[in-house]
Amino acid sequence: MTIQLPDLPYAKDALSPHISAKTLEFHHDKHHAAYVTNTNKFIAGTGLAGASLEEIIKAAANDSSKKGLFNNAAQVWNHTFLWHSMKPNGGGKPTGELAARIEKDFGGYDAFVEKFSATAVGQFGSGWAWLVLDGGKLDITATANADTPLVHGQIPLLTADVWEHAYYLDYQNRRPDYVKTFLAHLVNWDFANANLKA
Ligand code: MN3
């Protein structure tokens, strides 16, 4: 079994004007695709062929000789999770169970926005901002490079990619504007709610 590149769950221009078709073309067809190709190269000869992507990530995270495999496999998983974390006409206030949980665990939507934005903007260099479930409570966390909450005992609910390749064509160095747009126009609360239930 080889790891496959999943299709985007929407057309390349579906998130425009917030994220351009050009950005999604490079981000999915080049960056995500390269992580898939490299993961399959690194798997060869490790005994992990046939394992699920999650099993590969967890095995490689605890093995310093498999850093290259971890980085690429985790990036495959993180990006597939990212595509579903966004949707056309998304963003704004949460719906469903998460609306109540955000009120309870952060003290309201505005406080959530403030903390998520500060975490995403404040991540030094490449990485990810996450809404996670940690010990039954919502939390916001950042990971560097390919690191993922999957290997930190947390359940990811939603993510924003803050690697420059995620926003540079559309926002150049203005990461704060990208994060603001992500929260206001792109967040897929249906996906986050489904992850909370599962
Ligand atoms: Mn990316």
Side-chain angles (χ1 to χ4, degrees):
M1 189 184 84
T2 55
I3 301 301
Q4 307 283 333
L5 176 66
D7 290 334
L8 282 174
Y10 30 72
K12 291 222 174 65
D13 61 359
L15 304 182
S16 175
H18 310 299
I19 291 182
S20 65
K22 197 76 179 167
T23 289
L24 283 184
E25 187 186 329
F26 275 97
H27 203 173
H28 176 270
D29 297 1
K30 306 291 184 192
H31 291 276
H32 197 180
Y35 295 130
V36 171
T37 301
N38 289 331
T39 296
N40 287 319
K41 277 186 195 156
F42 277 111
I43 288 172
T46 62
L48 286 166
S52 72
L53 185 58
E54 288 82 356
E55 289 167 342
I56 291 166
I57 291 166
K58 284 172 183 169
N62 296 317
D63 183 343
S64 59
S65 74
K66 292 189 172 62
K67 193 69 188 159
L69 175 58
F70 174 79
N71 284 337
N72 283 280
Q75 283 294 77
V76 172
W77 193 93
N78 291 346
H79 280 88
T80 301
F81 195 82
L82 169 70
W83 307 137
H84 292 278
S85 292
M86 303 184 288
K87 68 171 188 179
N89 304 309
K93 292 196 171 175
T95 52
E97 172 72 12
L98 267 175
R101 296 294 295 260
I102 281 174
E103 196 68 40
K104 179 169 165 277
D105 292 341
F106 296 117
Y109 176 70
D110 292 347
F112 158 78
V113 166
E114 194 175 317
K115 187 167 187 198
F116 191 93
S117 303
T119 302
V121 172
Q123 166 58 31
F124 186 78
S126 296
W128 301 82
W130 304 86
L131 175 64
V132 299
L133 199 57
D134 191 344
K137 203 164 179 273
L138 295 184
D139 198 8
I140 291 165
T141 179
T143 59
N145 299 318
D147 197 15
T148 179
L150 279 186
V151 297
H152 298 291
Q154 298 164 325
I155 299 166
L157 304 179
L158 185 80
T159 194
D161 187 345
V162 296
W163 283 59
E164 283 188 346
H165 68 223
Y167 61 87
Y168 215 84
L169 291 176
D170 299 320
Y171 298 87
Q172 293 78 49
N173 61 321
R174 292 175 285 114
R175 190 192 288 185
D177 290 350
Y178 160 68
V179 171
K180 194 175 175 184
T181 301
F182 176 86
L183 290 168
H185 298 289
L186 295 170
V187 168
N188 184 350
W189 288 116
D190 301 334
F191 177 64
N193 268 306
N195 292 326
L196 183 64
K197 282 201 182 80

